[in-house]
Amino acid sequence: MEQQYAVEMLHITKRFPGIIANDDITLQLKKGEIHALLGENGAGKSTLMSVLFGLYQPEEGEIRMNGQPVRIKDPNDANALGIGMVHQHFKLVECFTVLENIMLGVEPNKAGFLLKGEAREKITELSERYGLYVDLDALIEDITVGMQQRTEILKMLYRENDILIFDEPTAVLTPQEITELMQIMRNLAAEGKSILFISHKLNEIMEVADRCSVLRKGKYIGTVEVKDTTKEELSRMMVGRDVEFTVAKKDAEPGEVLLEVRDLYVKSRVHDSDAVRGVSFDVRRGEIVCIAGIDGNGQTELIYGLTGLEPVRGGSIIYEGTDVTHYSIRKRITSGWSHIPEDRHKHGLVLDYPLDYNMVLQRYFEPEFTKGGMLRKGNIRAYSDELIEKYDVRSGQGSATPARSMSGGNQQKAIVARELDRDSDLIIAVQPTRGLDVGAIENIHRQLVAQRDAGRAVLLVSLELEEVMSLSDRILVMYEGEIVGELDPKKTTVEELGLYMAGAKKNMGTALGEPDPDVSPDTTEGQEAGSNE
Amino acid sequence: MNNKRRSLVKNNAFQSIVASLICIVLGLVLGFIVLLIIKPSGAVGGITALLRSYFKYQDAKHVLELFTQTMVKAVPLIMCSLSILFCYKVGLFNIGAAGQYCIGIGIAIYAAIAWKLPWWLCMLMALAGGAILGCIVGLLKAYRNVNEVISGIMLNWMSLYVVNIMLKTVKQPNISETRNIPFNSRIPSLGLDKLLGNKYASIAIPLVIVIAVGIYILLEKTRFGYELKATGFNKHAAKYAGMAEKRNIIVTLAIGGALAGLGAAMFYLTNFQHWETEAATVPAMGFNGIAAAFLGGLNPIGCIFSSFFIQHITEGGAYIDNMTYAPQMSDLIFAIIIYLCSFVLFIKSVMNRSMAKNEKKRAALAGIDSVPGTGAALVADPPSDQDASADEPETPPLSEDGKGGDE
Ligand SMILES: Nc1ncnc2c1ncn2[C@@H]1O[C@H](COP(=O)(O)OP(=O)(O)OP(=O)(O)O)[C@@H](O)[C@H]1O
Ligand SMILES: [Mg+2]
């Protein structure tokens, strides 16, 4: 009998302390199909995929491949069965190069000597074929999250797996890259590979998937044919209510200038030259300013320089009229800065601390949480419980949950909760909704707008055009380390924004058609003549 | 009831203790095998002598004296293991504890004999010496990213030679050992010597317990400990949160050094032992501290017990029959046990894994509702095939209630 399913996961149950992450879930993956997995943060998607990849052993249920029951004890078994996985949080060796990471475990060798050249050739070929640009010789710790993601995808392609699991691969990719990835996935499926694809972005699912299974709070809700359904229906299945996709907000009422950045230079993490080259802009109270741009155009370094994670090479940062360029990070924090970092595992959380300790990461020394040098654990716990409640952070054991065991989206929600609840005047948010489900995104967007309306300044960095367009009051486009354009989201289109981001178009505050009071004079001094429109 | 028992088994402290005990037993078994191989007839006697140590004496007073002596010698070991543990919690491996301990010895003895300083001042100076040494390692690590293990080992050798040169000026005529510590430089005993029946018993014994508790509180309860551990777990996040991660690294190693240095003074200022100025290696104390720290489950209180145990069997080595076995035998067995101590963490993870497996088996068993016992559990592994035609989801054949509540 011809077997229709490449993989069947039948009645899988997986429990963790305090929670049933997968409660009798059945998932069937057809050969050559792209099967999307949808569900709220903490619904159990990653857990289910980890079971398939052999990282977790389920308490109940079985897995079949081509109709035959299989046992997948560890990722090596999975690999032998042709199952590959791109994890939500990458599993890369920080101090290895991209090339070494891709080769790791399947190194081509001759008598024990590595044949790096051979691997390089194959990877270069793959990366060209699929348009996954990576710098093979860069160290993982130096490259952007986007490039790390591409490394992970290449790693899987390099192993020639047949069953491909993508756990939120698009969360960190740029729109262009996402379009490309969609095409790659279609090609792979056409080549007969079966793909499991987790995403919170309904558009992507609608665009690329054949079928979609929905989980909610560990339970299986159902599987639908994508062509017979709508975004609204999917989100209803997922959250159990209707979700608003657009942010309701009134016009900004910008107040005084809070942050002035002047001619800032910051060294690149990848190469020797500067990644941020003479950037100047202002952020006022009561507005959301967004830095848009394709990943790797200096946004990360700009934020590092601003927040003090990296020293700046030149220029100045003025906050409330004071020069804070050389302030320590602590001093910036205590003068009212919040920072939702790009990399939640590297900077955002101490994964080995419980959730409540993470909730006071920048406030632990305040009298509320420390008295006479001793931690006031009761207060910390109470405060953390309050944040969990207020921001709907879900986990197995509440405040006592080790941060490491939380689902990716809930880790992000915890960070956002911590940063927004500090009532800071300046909120620097880098990809604040990365990896969040539609319901949570709706919530965080509302919170950010509320912060703005309360007279605070929000500096947003986002790769997501939709978010940029709907949330910001002013858009600054970064290209190759410079700000190449300032746009008004109400007067521009996604297409135009895309042109600026690709470097095909430039303006220095004049293209808005009318003199705009928000435009800082410094941004008008274009250094490079002759933009190539 | 069953749940309660399981939660105890999952308790971290409990696991540590069990893992440590397993290591000790394994070490003893291995040691026993070695004895068996060398000379089968004396093996049982040898291993019991090692374990019984001085308890073989009938005279209670004598036993007490030797018991106290073990405590006196355990003091510096506890201090070294605290030094290792403290740094380890902050993500640093203080292999330099050996050198810091060595410097502590040098300073304490020199200050006592050459300058006739009071005991507490000698102790403080030894503490400072260790701290400075630790500080150097910390500075190199924080500002030049020099691995603390490398610089620690280098400093170990330098310390040894410096101490030998320094203490040659206060050695006894004709032999290479240092002179006695003058009386007013010895750590006072405040009657402990009478109470514990050993003239070397001093307030160093209660002091070391106070310090261990202090370290525990520092790490677990204070804001400073919160910061240090955060730095150890994730230095990027610590930096992001505005903690001075460089300063934390330096301070940690300085404290580690201070503990080791102070430990040296707490031992040598009892005049229990002289320094051998021709010594060719740093005292093993600093290294044994690593074993003690791990055997103690990386818990300051655990270190007290593990150090005492290690000291106890070291003493016990002397009671192995020297006629049957070479005198180095005790060292060998001791080394085997120490070696196995470093497997504590490994054993803990194995325990956790096998527990997860058992649980799965139990769940499977409960579902199929068959006879208890491990034999049947193995049979339960291949999934039952009643649901072979599962094209669409149907109710699971396995009942869910087998496991009771959550663990
Ligand atoms: N190793 C673990 N130990 C304990 N609990 C865990 C572990 N892994 C996951 N969990 C819990 O299981 C639940 C499901 O987590 P999972 O990571 O599968 O969610 P998810 O659907 O992938 O969510 P997200 O969209 O946020 O990534 C969460 O509540 C999480 O706290
Ligand atoms: Mg996930």
Side-chain angles (χ1 to χ4, degrees):
Chain A
M1 190 187 86
E2 172 65 18
Q3 190 63 42
Q4 183 188 10
Y5 295 115
V7 175
E8 293 168 278
M9 301 184 76
L10 303 172
H11 307 297
I12 301 290
T13 294
K14 176 71 199 163
R15 299 184 181 88
F16 287 120
I19 199 162
I20 306 180
N22 289 162
D23 188 356
D24 185 22
I25 291 180
T26 292
L27 182 77
Q28 291 164 311
L29 177 66
K30 287 182 188 164
K31 279 187 186 138
E33 83 166 333
I34 300 179
H35 194 118
L37 197 54
L38 184 65
E40 285 176 292
N41 296 127
K45 306 176 297 293
S46 297
T47 304
L48 188 66
M49 292 302 101
S50 299
V51 166
L52 180 56
F53 194 56
L55 286 168
Y56 295 139
Q57 298 301 312
E59 275 95 29
E60 286 161 37
E62 71 166 319
I63 299 173
R64 292 184 197 175
M65 290 192 67
N66 299 316
Q68 298 303 310
V70 288
R71 286 205 56 192
I72 306 175
K73 291 190 297 298
D74 52 42
N76 289 334
D77 285 358
N79 228 327
L81 291 164
I83 302 174
M85 178 161 178
V86 174
H87 294 270
Q88 183 171 10
H89 301 108
F90 323 131
K91 312 263 184 218
L92 298 169
V93 185
E94 288 260 303
C95 56
F96 273 18
T97 64
V98 170
L99 177 68
E100 286 161 345
N101 265 287
I102 296 176
M103 293 163 53
L104 196 66
V106 287
E107 304 89 348
N109 64 69
K110 196 169 189 180
F113 290 97
L114 287 184
L115 297 175
K116 279 200 188 178
E118 205 162 282
R120 180 185 298 271
E121 232 165 74
K122 186 170 167 193
I123 297 166
T124 312
E125 194 260 324
L126 280 173
S127 85
E128 267 161 23
R129 183 157 99 218
Y130 295 113
L132 293 160
Y133 166 72
V134 286
D135 178 354
L136 286 181
D137 298 308
L139 292 181
I140 296 295
E141 57 187 359
D142 293 333
I143 63 180
T144 61
V145 206
M147 201 186 281
Q148 291 180 11
Q149 179 71 268
R150 295 196 283 277
T151 307
E152 282 282 18
I153 297 174
L154 277 172
K155 207 166 129 185
M156 198 168 59
L157 295 175
Y158 183 74
R159 281 164 179 66
E160 295 171 349
N161 292 316
D162 292 326
I163 314 283
L164 309 180
I165 306 169
F166 287 86
D167 193 351
E168 294 190 40
T170 57
V172 287
L173 299 185
T174 63
Q176 287 85 343
E177 288 168 325
I178 291 173
T179 319
E180 283 160 16
L181 180 68
M182 300 283 131
Q183 193 52 47
I184 294 168
M185 295 204 323
R186 274 192 219 99
N187 294 347
L188 289 169
E191 284 174 24
K193 303 199 187 236
S194 315
I195 295 175
L196 273 161
F197 170 56
I198 300 182
S199 177
H200 288 295
K201 299 181 194 165
L202 299 170
N203 288 338
E204 294 169 3
I205 293 178
M206 295 305 292
E207 190 189 330
V208 78
D210 301 308
R211 294 196 303 155
C212 177
S213 293
V214 181
L215 308 184
R216 194 197 304 159
K217 298 195 173 153
K219 294 216 167 55
Y220 173 76
I221 301 296
T223 302
V224 291
E225 293 284 335
V226 169
K227 60 179 187 301
D228 302 334
T229 190
T230 60
K231 262 169 78 172
E232 285 71 23
E233 193 189 326
L234 281 178
S235 60
R236 214 174 304 122
M237 271 176 92
M238 171 176 139
V239 200
R241 64 174 168 90
D242 287 321
V243 179
E244 306 253 344
F245 289 102
T246 47
V247 193
K249 63 173 174 116
K250 45 188 204 323
D251 284 345
E253 289 165 21
E256 70 202 77
V257 174
L258 193 64
L259 178 76
E260 299 168 55
V261 177
R262 290 292 172 271
D263 203 26
L264 203 67
Y265 284 82
V266 186
K267 190 173 140 312
S268 164
R269 294 182 303 155
V270 195
H271 45 84
D272 280 333
S273 51
D274 289 326
V276 177
R277 297 182 284 149
V279 164
S280 303
F281 62 89
D282 288 348
V283 184
R284 292 161 182 271
R285 285 183 181 276
E287 69 170 350
I288 299 178
V289 175
C290 178
I291 311 259
I294 296 172
D295 191 26
N297 274 287
Q299 303 97 312
T300 305
E301 285 88 350
L302 172 64
I303 297 302
Y304 279 14
L306 269 181
T307 54
L309 284 172
E310 291 283 339
V312 301
R313 275 246 274 252
S316 57
I317 304 163
I318 320 269
Y319 176 72
E320 283 188 311
T322 331
D323 188 332
V324 299
T325 319
H326 300 293
Y327 267 28
S328 69
I329 295 177
R330 173 63 48 85
K331 216 157 163 204
R332 285 175 222 232
I333 292 172
T334 48
S335 31
W337 291 31
S338 272
H339 174 198
I340 299 170
E342 176 181 2
D343 190 335
R344 59 179 166 240
H345 280 185
K346 185 171 180 185
H347 292 120
L349 293 168
V350 176
L351 288 171
D352 293 299
Y353 267 164
L355 181 54
D356 57 352
Y357 270 29
N358 273 293
M359 287 298 203
V360 294
L361 202 55
Q362 299 106 322
R363 298 186 56 181
Y364 64 93
F365 52 86
E366 292 176 9
E368 191 186 344
F369 305 117
T370 300
K371 193 175 173 189
M374 307 296 276
L375 290 179
R376 305 173 78 171
K377 292 196 183 189
N379 287 4
I380 294 178
R381 180 57 58 96
Y383 175 66
S384 159
D385 286 344
E386 191 189 314
L387 285 190
I388 288 173
E389 172 77 34
K390 203 160 139 194
Y391 291 83
D392 187 28
V393 181
R394 298 179 196 173
S395 62
Q397 300 150 288
S399 284
T401 317
R404 186 180 292 287
S405 79
M406 290 167 60
S407 86
N410 283 297
Q411 289 174 342
Q412 181 71 17
K413 274 154 79 175
I415 296 174
V416 173
R418 179 183 75 206
E419 296 307 310
L420 293 191
D421 206 72
R422 291 221 314 277
D423 289 339
S424 301
D425 284 324
L426 176 65
I427 297 158
I428 298 175
V430 187
Q431 302 262 56
T433 58
R434 214 180 101 195
L436 297 190
D437 65 53
V438 282
I441 291 178
E442 185 192 11
N443 184 20
I444 303 253
H445 282 174
R446 231 188 269 134
Q447 303 269 6
L448 283 172
V449 171
Q451 295 282 343
R452 179 199 77 168
D453 292 343
R456 309 202 169 103
V458 180
L459 179 64
L460 176 77
V461 176
S462 179
L463 301 178
E464 219 142 322
L465 292 186
E466 238 173 86
E467 181 166 86
V468 172
M469 293 299 277
S470 67
L471 202 56
S472 54
D473 300 313
R474 210 144 58 82
I475 303 173
L476 303 171
V477 185
M478 243 184 128
Y479 178 70
E480 293 195 338
E482 290 169 28
I483 294 200
V484 294
E486 167 161 346
L487 302 168
D488 181 342
K490 285 196 284 298
K491 295 181 192 148
T492 187
T493 60
V494 174
E495 287 71 29
E496 192 182 4
L497 184 56
L499 285 177
Y500 277 94
M501 285 170 43
K505 219 174 160 186
K506 287 189 180 190
N507 88 51
M508 294 303 164
T510 46
L512 292 175
E514 57 180 67
D516 193 314
D518 291 350
V519 182
S520 93
D522 296 63
T523 48
T524 51
E525 297 165 9
Q527 297 96 325
E528 276 182 37
S531 54
N532 44 346
E533 302 192 17
Chain B
M1 176 209 91
N2 197 9
N3 270 351
K4 213 171 176 181
R5 211 188 69 213
R6 226 180 294 156
S7 78
L8 174 67
V9 173
K10 286 217 162 148
N11 178 292
N12 194 30
F14 179 80
Q15 281 184 6
S16 302
I17 293 172
V18 172
S20 299
L21 291 178
I22 291 177
C23 280
I24 291 173
V25 172
L26 276 180
L28 289 172
V29 169
L30 257 171
F32 181 66
I33 292 172
V34 172
L35 291 183
L36 266 182
I37 292 170
I38 297 176
K39 192 155 188 191
S41 60
V44 175
I47 209 85
T48 33
L50 181 81
L51 279 176
R52 252 172 71 200
S53 193
Y54 45 82
F55 283 104
K56 72 173 195 173
Y57 297 115
Q58 298 299 313
D59 181 5
K61 247 180 87 187
H62 193 44
V63 170
L64 178 65
E65 186 189 351
L66 289 170
F67 178 78
T68 307
Q69 177 175 316
T70 311
M71 281 205 283
V72 171
K73 288 171 146 184
V75 165
L77 186 57
I78 296 172
M79 292 299 285
C80 284
S81 65
L82 289 176
S83 164
I84 304 277
L85 168 145
F86 187 76
C87 297
Y88 192 83
K89 290 267 179 180
V90 191
L92 298 162
F93 195 53
N94 187 22
I95 196 108
Q100 293 146 6
Y101 180 73
C102 193
I103 276 289
I105 297 172
I107 294 178
I109 294 183
Y110 192 84
I113 301 177
W115 296 333
K116 313 224 168 357
L117 293 177
W119 63 277
W120 54 270
L121 202 52
C122 298
M123 257 166 66
L124 282 182
M125 287 176 66
L127 178 146
I132 290 171
L133 219 58
C135 222
I136 296 174
V137 177
L139 283 168
L140 285 171
K141 168 92 181 175
Y143 289 104
R144 297 258 64 92
N145 202 19
V146 177
N147 190 301
E148 76 273 13
V149 173
I150 310 280
S151 55
I153 291 176
M154 300 292 188
L155 281 171
N156 284 352
W157 289 106
M158 291 196 235
S159 319
L160 174 68
Y161 298 130
V162 168
V163 167
N164 275 345
I165 294 167
M166 195 160 77
L167 292 189
K168 277 201 178 117
T169 61
V170 294
K171 78 179 183 67
Q172 302 179 28
N174 305 327
I175 58 169
S176 55
E177 279 184 16
T178 51
R179 279 183 252 148
N180 276 332
I181 304 289
F183 279 100
N184 84 329
S185 297
R186 291 189 194 175
I187 305 177
S189 62
L190 301 183
L192 276 176
D193 49 348
K194 305 262 159 27
L195 189 68
L196 297 173
N198 187 314
K199 63 176 175 165
Y200 299 109
S202 69
I203 56 168
I205 294 172
L207 183 61
V208 79
I209 294 173
V210 171
I211 292 175
V213 173
I215 293 288
Y216 175 80
I217 292 174
L218 180 66
L219 281 171
E220 300 301 326
K221 309 272 179 211
T222 67
R223 164 193 148 179
F224 186 52
Y226 173 92
E227 233 186 64
L228 290 185
K229 283 200 296 179
T231 312
F233 284 137
N234 182 351
K235 63 172 194 282
H236 300 290
K239 184 175 182 187
Y240 156 86
M243 300 173 189
E245 39 30 300
K246 286 197 164 69
R247 188 205 65 193
N248 285 351
I249 288 174
I250 299 165
V251 170
T252 301
L253 282 162
I255 292 179
L259 287 169
L262 179 61
M266 286 164 81
F267 181 52
Y268 278 83
L269 292 182
T270 61
N271 199 39
F272 183 89
Q273 197 172 319
H274 297 143
W275 175 257
E276 167 58 59
T277 58
E278 299 292 335
T281 53
V282 281
M285 200 63 82
F287 304 121
N288 292 348
I290 302 172
F294 281 93
L295 188 63
L298 290 172
N299 177 309
I301 310 300
C303 284
I304 299 178
F305 294 101
S306 62
S307 302
F308 184 81
F309 171 77
I310 288 179
Q311 207 51 55
H312 177 83
I313 57 164
T314 314
E315 301 280 301
Y319 295 90
I320 297 182
D321 188 358
N322 273 352
M323 305 308 281
T324 333
Y325 297 107
Q328 288 84 2
M329 206 57 230
S330 65
D331 285 346
L332 177 64
I333 294 184
F334 165 65
I336 291 174
I337 293 178
I338 296 269
Y339 193 79
L340 279 164
C341 292
S342 46
F343 286 88
V344 169
L345 294 184
F346 172 72
I347 291 199
K348 227 168 121 181
S349 77
V350 169
M351 270 164 57
N352 266 327
R353 234 178 299 154
S354 78
M355 220 146 47
K357 239 183 227 160
N358 275 338
E359 216 150 86
K360 205 180 119 205
K361 276 179 194 161
R362 229 189 342 252
L365 262 184
I368 297 165
D369 186 38
S370 75
V371 259
T374 44
L378 289 174
V379 184
D381 254 346
S384 55
D385 46 20
Q386 302 117 287
D387 55 339
S389 62
D391 243 346
E392 49 203 342
E394 50 183 68
T395 42
L398 304 183
S399 77
E400 281 191 21
D401 51 15
K403 278 212 27 179
D406 292 311
E407 39 270 311

